[in-house]
Amino acid sequence: MPIFRNLPKILAHVSSVKSKNFVTPEFILNKKNNEINLFNRYCPHRMYPLHALGDQIEEVQCNFHGFKWDRNGVAINNDLQIKCGIAHIGNSGLIFTNFIEPNHSWVNDLKNEKNLEYSHTLQGTSSGSWLWMMEIQADLSHIRKGNNTIHPWLSEIENLNDVKMDHGDNWILQTCSTGWWLFVYPFTFIEWSKGCLSINYTVPKNYCDEYGFDWNTQFYYDPKIQNDRRVQFEKLEDVFREDVIAIEKQKGKYFPLKISSNKYEDHCVHFGQWVMKNKE
């Protein structure tokens, strides 16, 4: 039985489907009018993956047996159906399922990004717990200076006293010196700085087991953003990988933190409460 059901998923930014279909870990996204059609990323014939993560494609093709579908998912040389649902485009430009977008400043920040263009996708895999992974991303208290710490670079550039914390029912927001970090439980970490956006999307290897996950990070930029700033922005991918190393060392299954030892753990408690409320 899945640990959770009907979970919020943030799949991409709408600029990824501006002119072509976009390939995510589980779905191929197809924009039609103001709605997003979801195509199964795995061929229904023998479950072979259709295209690589981050590809922007016109025609859908399975390289296993050569089956094809046109851009709108209509079968060309077979009678197989790949459409498997729909997703929604929020005011923020984010594409999502099972998520109600709040009336909040972070939505307006993204709404005002008129020129974002999809750049590229990075990916990785871990044997660790995706629940510990979500908590560590919510945990500001582990961003500390000193020897043998988790984030030596990030702890030098961010003053936690200046970070503002906010939350909704199934998300938390941490506003920092360069922009903000948004976490939509339990799979998505979004980073924004003016003209820059990344969407980090975790996919469990087994939705019935907290251990083992893949991730992909999509990057979007305003064309005016220079390369040196892009390089700086993408250092947060290194920070994410430092978190992966840390959670792979944590022993045992995830359990909720009930009381925070300081205000920087408040979002860990919030996440734990969400887990207990939504767990099957």
Side-chain angles (χ1 to χ4, degrees):
M1 177 182 293
I3 298 175
F4 306 103
R5 292 186 185 275
N6 299 321
L7 292 171
K9 291 185 179 182
I10 311 298
L11 303 176
H13 184 267
V14 69
S15 59
S16 66
V17 290
K18 184 177 181 180
S19 59
K20 296 183 179 181
N21 294 344
F22 183 65
V23 182
T24 71
E26 297 174 293
F27 307 107
I28 296 174
L29 310 182
N30 163 259
K31 185 174 184 291
K32 193 169 184 180
N33 300 321
N34 292 318
E35 196 168 65
I36 299 294
N37 292 316
L38 300 178
F39 301 156
N40 196 329
R41 189 189 159 224
Y42 290 85
C43 180
H45 179 227
R46 305 311 295 158
M47 298 306 291
Y48 192 81
L50 301 172
H51 303 283
L53 297 186
D55 280 358
Q56 292 176 299
I57 59 172
E58 286 280 358
E59 187 177 85
V60 180
Q61 177 171 326
C62 179
N63 289 331
F64 198 174
H65 294 99
F67 293 148
K68 297 179 181 181
W69 297 261
D70 71 13
R71 178 177 176 177
N72 295 315
V74 178
I76 295 174
N77 59 355
N78 63 86
D79 58 359
L80 301 173
Q81 172 68 253
I82 59 172
K83 183 176 179 180
C84 57
I86 61 171
H88 305 286
I89 306 171
N91 289 328
S92 62
L94 296 177
I95 299 170
F96 51 76
T97 61
N98 299 319
F99 184 63
I100 299 175
E101 201 169 63
N103 180 16
H104 198 276
S105 61
W106 68 259
V107 174
N108 293 330
D109 287 336
L110 294 182
K111 183 179 180 180
N112 291 331
E113 292 284 3
K114 306 297 185 182
N115 301 311
L116 289 178
E117 296 179 356
Y118 170 71
S119 174
H120 62 284
T121 293
L122 299 177
Q123 57 187 298
T125 189
S126 172
S127 60
S129 162
W130 46 272
L131 290 174
W132 281 128
M133 191 65 203
M134 186 73 253
E135 185 190 78
I136 199 173
Q137 292 179 89
D139 178 13
L140 284 171
S141 66
H142 83 289
I143 305 174
R144 58 188 185 83
K145 297 180 180 180
N147 296 324
N148 299 316
T149 57
I150 306 298
H151 299 307
W153 171 77
L154 184 61
S155 63
E156 289 295 329
I157 66 167
E158 289 297 341
N159 184 345
L160 293 187
N161 291 326
D162 295 334
V163 176
K164 298 179 181 179
M165 303 168 64
D166 200 357
H167 66 268
D169 289 339
N170 54 6
W171 56 269
I172 57 174
L173 182 72
Q174 298 166 352
T175 303
C176 59
S177 60
T178 57
W180 46 252
W181 308 317
L182 172 70
F183 308 81
V184 179
Y185 301 151
F187 298 131
T188 312
F189 166 52
I190 300 171
E191 180 193 3
W192 173 80
S193 182
K194 183 74 173 174
C196 308
L197 175 68
S198 69
I199 302 175
N200 179 287
Y201 174 23
T202 292
V203 181
K205 294 183 182 294
N206 182 348
Y207 281 90
C208 300
D209 187 349
E210 69 177 85
Y211 285 99
F213 62 92
D214 299 319
W215 79 84
N216 78 107
T217 309
Q218 306 161 11
F219 291 94
Y220 303 82
Y221 295 104
D222 186 307
K224 296 179 182 178
I225 299 299
Q226 299 297 312
N227 186 65
D228 58 345
R229 184 149 170 247
R230 298 185 186 208
V231 171
Q232 182 77 4
F233 182 73
E234 291 184 26
K235 286 183 72 69
L236 263 295
E237 180 72 6
D238 297 331
V239 173
F240 182 86
R241 292 174 185 269
E242 290 168 350
D243 281 335
V244 170
I245 292 171
I247 65 100
E248 289 179 342
K249 295 178 180 178
Q250 289 180 271
K251 184 178 180 180
K253 291 186 175 182
Y254 166 83
F255 57 92
L257 182 67
K258 295 183 178 180
I259 300 176
S260 56
S261 60
N262 57 64
K263 67 178 183 178
Y264 302 120
E265 286 189 331
D266 285 352
H267 281 166
C268 298
V269 174
H270 185 270
F271 174 59
Q273 292 170 342
W274 180 89
V275 168
M276 296 307 296
K277 180 180 178 181
N278 291 276
K279 195 171 183 179
E280 287 289 322

